[in-house]
Amino acid sequence: MPKIDLYRNVHMGQRARLFTLAVELGAADITQTGAAAEQANRCLAMTQELREHADHEDTYIHQLLRERAPEAADALEAEHMRLDADFAALDDRARALPGTPAAGLPEAQHALYLALGEVISAYLAHLHLEETVAMPALWQFAGEKELGAVMAAFQSSRTPENGLTDLHRMLPALPPAPRAAIVREVVENAPGPAEQTLATVSATLSPEQRYRLRHDLGMASA
């Protein structure tokens, strides 16, 4: 049975969407009506999501980490403080972008792009620390039962809408096997028809990913 990993899948989704945001922000035609506001709002939504994710980790994971591996917990707390400053700098750039005069928009767009790159650089290092230091420490000093309880407590705190959002963010970034395992569990435990649940859960997957998922679940292609 695979070890319970509290970080891996959600972090894969975060990396994918951060990279996509950077590419699309850099390539956006900022001169189009509403484009500045759209790109600014996407950046603000991302920093808000990452802050909420950090709060979830502090609430459901890092308390156990502090009890069992306080040095690792101290390192993560320091990382969260550093990231808060990077998030604030990105937010300031994003909020300023829509009000920038037309002549200054290209440079303001690039400044926002650079600020996003700074966040991504710092955040990737943070994810690496969690996955290569914090999670191994939890595997060493906490049992599967405790880790399972952490996962269950977080999942029970999420509304059905929250849970669906989590899946939509995460599933496109996962390899086929873990994606299918997650969706199979969701489909088997959902009260509604399997086809309807599958369609809802897989809404953010590409056509190729949906086809592979149906195949891995043993369901006929639509």
Side-chain angles (χ1 to χ4, degrees):
M1 180 178 179
K3 292 180 179 179
I4 294 175
D5 194 322
L6 302 174
Y7 297 109
R8 182 173 184 165
N9 290 343
V10 66
H11 285 180
M12 291 184 72
Q14 287 178 339
R15 287 184 177 98
R17 288 179 298 103
L18 282 166
F19 298 156
T20 297
L21 177 58
V23 170
E24 293 180 355
L25 171 62
D29 182 356
I30 207 70
T31 65
Q32 295 296 308
T33 302
E38 177 187 358
Q39 297 303 322
N41 288 336
R42 292 181 69 194
C43 289
L44 292 169
M46 180 60 73
T47 56
Q48 178 63 26
E49 177 193 330
L50 298 183
R51 289 187 180 98
E52 290 174 356
H53 174 72
D55 289 342
H56 296 154
E57 290 179 336
D58 289 341
T59 300
Y60 296 100
I61 302 176
H62 297 165
Q63 181 177 347
L64 178 61
L65 186 67
R66 176 151 296 285
E67 293 173 0
R68 305 301 172 83
E71 291 184 0
D74 288 342
L76 291 185
E77 287 180 9
E79 285 280 309
H80 281 170
M81 292 179 63
R82 182 168 63 90
L83 284 167
D84 283 343
D86 290 332
F87 293 160
L90 178 59
D91 287 348
D92 288 343
R93 291 282 188 186
R95 293 190 182 101
L97 184 67
T100 302
L105 270 176
E107 288 305 312
Q109 176 186 10
H110 191 65
L112 180 60
Y113 175 78
L114 294 179
L116 176 59
E118 184 71 17
V119 163
I120 292 172
S121 176
Y123 200 71
L124 290 178
H126 174 68
L127 298 184
H128 186 72
L129 179 67
E130 289 183 330
E131 292 169 1
T132 63
V133 176
M135 197 63 239
L138 287 169
W139 284 329
Q140 182 177 358
F141 298 115
E144 288 289 293
K145 184 176 180 180
E146 290 172 298
L147 297 179
V150 168
M151 183 71 79
F154 169 71
Q155 290 175 341
S156 67
S157 75
R158 306 294 279 165
T159 67
E161 293 76 16
N162 292 153
L164 182 60
T165 297
D166 294 340
L167 291 172
H168 283 171
R169 290 170 172 171
M170 177 176 62
L171 290 177
L174 301 185
R179 181 192 300 131
I182 292 169
V183 174
R184 181 178 290 108
E185 182 177 0
V186 172
V187 170
E188 289 176 351
N189 290 288
E195 282 287 350
Q196 180 179 339
T197 301
L198 178 60
T200 301
V201 169
S202 63
T204 54
L205 300 181
S206 70
E208 293 80 8
Q209 289 175 326
R210 287 196 295 273
Y211 179 85
R212 175 61 185 270
L213 178 61
R214 295 183 67 88
H215 175 271
D216 290 344
L217 294 177
M219 300 176 72
S221 299

